[in-house]
Amino acid sequence: MTTTNSWPLGVSGLAYGCDYNPEQWPVATRVQDVELMVRAGVNLVSVGIFSWAMLEPREGDYDWGWLDAVMDRLLEARIRVSLATATASPPPWLTRKHPHILPELADGTVLYPGSRQAYSVSSPVFRDYALRMTRAMAQRYGNHPALAVWHVDNELGCHVPHDFSEDAARAFRAWLSQRYGTVEALNAAWGTAFWSQRYDSFEEILPPRVAPHDPNPTQQLDFARYSSDELLRHYRALREVLRGITPNVPITTNMMLTSRTKWMDYFGWAPDMDVIATDHYTIAADPERHIEAAFSADLSRGVSGGEPWMLMEHSTSAVNWQERNRPKDPQEMVRDSLCHVARGADAVMFFQWRQSKAGAERYHSAMVPHAGTDSDVWRTTVRLGRALAALAPVRGSRVRSQVALVFDYQAWWGSELDSHPTQHLGYMAELLRYYRRLWLEGVSVDIVSPGADLGEYRAVLVPTLYLLDDDAADTIADAARSGASVLVTFFSGIADQHDHVRLGGYPGAFRELLGVRTEEFWPLQADEVLRLDDGTGADLWSENTHLAGAQAVRTWAQGPLAGKPAITRNQVGAGAAWYVGTRPDADGVRRLVRDVLAEARVTPVVDGLPEGVEAQRRHGADGARYLFVLNHTGEDVQVSVTGTELLTGTRAEGTYALPAGDVAVVREA
């Protein structure tokens, strides 16, 4: 964090609002917008995200009048502004004058204007224009009293996480030179003795463009690292302009902390943000989308280091970019929003205020839908505003967890490269397999990066942490030695940070901790399911594993490895280290996670809740405790709790009756 102010200025209680795009509407509608925002309880809106072509219709010719009026109108209504740099989509005059700023795919395909993010983030020309626009915005509105927070660009890397243009090639070479210092060090890190890939100078190096066969794996991994760093470098450049003009205004950008956003290393970005902001959208076809939403909210809190964070975008109802864009019912809209608040968000914002009548996102829902104010969506928008106002005391409180789930973007990138024992391993699927079980068990989970302090956790789960450095491996081992139950799953600890295999037997960096040695991976074929000795099944993966101090907890009951260990446990200091050398079925994961939680003495947030009822607790600095309970089932439930339910003002004496699909937030006695 880089300023003493880390929360939107002038926003009291929980923030509630949306992206606001007044440039799409006539003045009369803009006036009505503000009146409706007041009715809904809106207190923060993001403005100017895609306004570059409207603000600078011709190079150097600015039209500020309409935005001046919008800012003044919002201020008069006591609505604060998250003001964008307006750089998220370059205007047509810019790409026409400088077509070389357009990004390219690995096969050389140019991504042309007509959508958004049609720029190469490494283009010096584009960077110069973006800096000019950012400076113009800061100089114009830096002292405007409605300004609460700066919103840099928008969803950086969303559509173009990797650019393979000539500008990108030059920037990649500079990044490599800074990382390695000498080409000899790069050759050693990339293993270029293989396939005659040795380089004599950095100038010979290209991005991993389309090649006759699999590209160098470390080259691919480094290009992913460079691409994430280059996006962050762009953010930093724009941020420094803002900081120079408005040193006391917090600055952020909206990340996409979800299970579907792979290519930005957000743990590495976090120190450059004054407040963490994220966008999240559920997938209508996923019957357990509420579990993925909880995961994404926990990930947001993890990237924020436990500090309150902003849900900068989500949807009131249907989106426009899935194959079948099913709407949310009103109860789901409220549950979706309050799930994020339960897990640490102090801001709830939507895309967008008023549903567009034209453009690519015209069928994306909004707070004011096409149907207008006589609609379920609008009525739920007002209801949610009232709920968030009632939850003002929650602001600033924290979530506490007994369980840590270790997650790493670079392990995600590395584990899914080509030329691996199986091409059907999905890193995020393995992570969610264990997160889902923890959610169903009702325990609170912190999602942390490798190397994070694990001293406060009773259980630590480490799914498919394919690559990591020695320090991170030692930190995980120290957690077990200090008393935690650590569970590590297959294809973890295999490679170092250069994607070089750790020799001497798998699982490499965790071999000593786990007390096992695998001599060979034994991937299973499609639809091949083998039985373990406890009657559960496993698929995708098996290993020829030998015990080296550990005890077998589950063994293979059939197949070529029958009788050999499949799941093991090793006593380590005051704790234990479990190894899962396969992919258990759902019942196997259930039994395993319950065994680990019981050993670690991990307790659920609330005892006795049925599966499908979500509970989370936030703790205030004053000792107050706020219990959130979200009923995702079709049945009424009884919750064991005593206190005051904040949304209704009713008193709970020992139990609280929560209707099907509803939410309760109890300030506990």
Side-chain angles (χ1 to χ4, degrees), residues 28 61 82 116 139 179 184 223 245 254 321-322 325 362 372 415 526 583 612 649 656:
D61 182 8
S82 167
R116 65 184 198 180
Q139 290 172 340
R179 179 176 178 85
E184 289 78 15
F223 189 70
I245 299 171
N254 50 333
W321 42 267
Q322 297 171 22
N325 294 297
R362 63 198 184 281
S415 67
R583 188 169 76 176
Y656 184 83

Side-chain angles (χ1 to χ4, degrees), residues 67-240:
L67 185 52
D68 290 348
V70 167
M71 295 286 287
D72 293 344
R73 198 176 293 120
L74 291 168
L75 176 65
E76 186 177 357
R78 299 183 180 178
I79 298 169
R80 301 292 171 167
V81 176
S82 167
L83 187 58
T85 54
T87 54
S89 192
W93 60 258
L94 177 52
T95 51
R96 180 173 182 267
K97 181 177 180 180
H98 298 287
H100 55 281
I101 72 169
L102 297 172
E104 295 182 18
L105 301 181
D107 64 0
T109 299
V110 176
L111 300 180
Y112 286 98
S115 179
R116 65 184 198 180
Q117 283 193 359
Y119 62 80
S120 165
V121 74
S122 54
S123 165
V125 173
F126 175 73
R127 178 75 54 80
D128 183 61
Y129 276 97
L131 291 172
R132 286 190 222 171
M133 188 64 203
T134 300
R135 186 172 295 106
M137 292 289 285
Q139 290 172 340
R140 184 75 180 187
Y141 299 108
N143 292 319
H144 197 288
L147 176 62
V149 59
W150 285 111
H151 182 307
V152 174
D153 210 275
N154 184 71
E155 293 182 338
L156 285 162
C158 176
H159 305 296
V160 191
H162 300 148
D163 169 37
F164 297 83
S165 67
E166 282 303 312
D167 282 333
R170 283 187 286 271
F172 182 41
R173 286 191 286 268
W175 182 91
L176 291 169
S177 179
Q178 184 175 19
R179 179 176 178 85
Y180 292 109
T182 67
V183 74
E184 289 78 15
L186 177 140
N187 281 318
W190 284 19
T192 58
F194 187 82
W195 278 355
S196 186
Q197 292 177 351
R198 178 192 171 277
Y199 295 99
D200 198 48
S201 74
F202 286 104
E203 292 305 308
E204 296 174 355
I205 300 172
L206 296 171
R209 294 169 175 152
V210 174
H213 195 46
D214 297 333
N216 182 301
T218 315
Q219 179 190 20
Q220 294 183 70
L221 185 59
D222 270 350
F223 189 70
R225 289 167 171 152
Y226 148 77
S227 297
S228 178
D229 286 354
E230 187 68 10
L231 289 163
L232 177 59
R233 192 166 76 96
H234 183 67
Y235 166 84
R236 286 172 174 166
L238 274 58
R239 180 198 64 189
E240 290 313 302

